[in-house]
Amino acid sequence: MWFLAIEPLSSLTHAIPTNDQHDLYAHCLGSVLSDLGIRAEDGDADALFEHGLLLLHGHCVRENQSAGLLRLKTAAAKGHIEAAFVLGDLYADKSLRQLHDPNKAHQYLLFAAENNHLPAQHILGIILVRGDLGKDQQHHGLYWLGVAASQRHGLSAIIMGHLREHGKYGIEQDPCLARDWYELCLMLGMHEAIKFIQVIDTTHTCN
């Protein structure tokens, strides 16, 4: 389903500015890369994160996935929330067959989610509701999607509405609760949610 699909990784933008071409290529200057590498070797978490992304994506440096992942894991071990999110996002992506690992995804996303990282809360909710770690974890998925929605994450709110309206993935069907989520979507400016509300109102009377 489109509303439970995890978007492809775009986390490179967390480390590399995209305001203009000059800023982008500034990261490829030898002096900048040299300083970044030195700081990473010294254990600087931000440098480990940025250098890890460059290695992972082959930007400015030769692509080296294993070295990039190691940099990111080291940064995450030092408490770098964004590095944990990137790792969780990678391991959650089913299209990356060589990396897909629900347990590792859960480990890293949970750390980021517990530190109030909104996209991590959203993706963690998705993989748990989807049943990647078993049906007994779906209630945790609903919790995290709810947390994200309560912080004005519109996609999480619309997903909660669809899950409750249609009983997707074995979630208990509750059209009136779904209507409440769609009302939140309207408050968040997602005007297309009015169509979902109208459909529910034709068959149900909700208080």
Side-chain angles (χ1 to χ4, degrees), residues 141-162:
L142 292 175
Y143 167 78
W144 283 113
L145 284 173
V147 170
S150 70
Q151 297 187 76
R152 306 182 65 81
H153 193 274
L155 184 55
S156 293
I158 205 79
I159 287 175
M160 288 292 283
H162 276 283

Side-chain angles (χ1 to χ4, degrees), residues 129 135 138 163 166-173:
V129 165
K135 297 291 186 181
Q138 286 185 320
L163 289 171
H166 302 289
K168 296 293 184 180
Y169 293 90
I171 303 299
E172 182 180 358
Q173 191 173 17

Side-chain angles (χ1 to χ4, degrees), residues 78-94:
K78 291 175 173 289
H80 198 285
I81 298 170
E82 203 65 39
F85 167 66
V86 170
L87 287 166
D89 191 28
L90 284 169
Y91 287 124
D93 191 343
K94 288 186 174 183

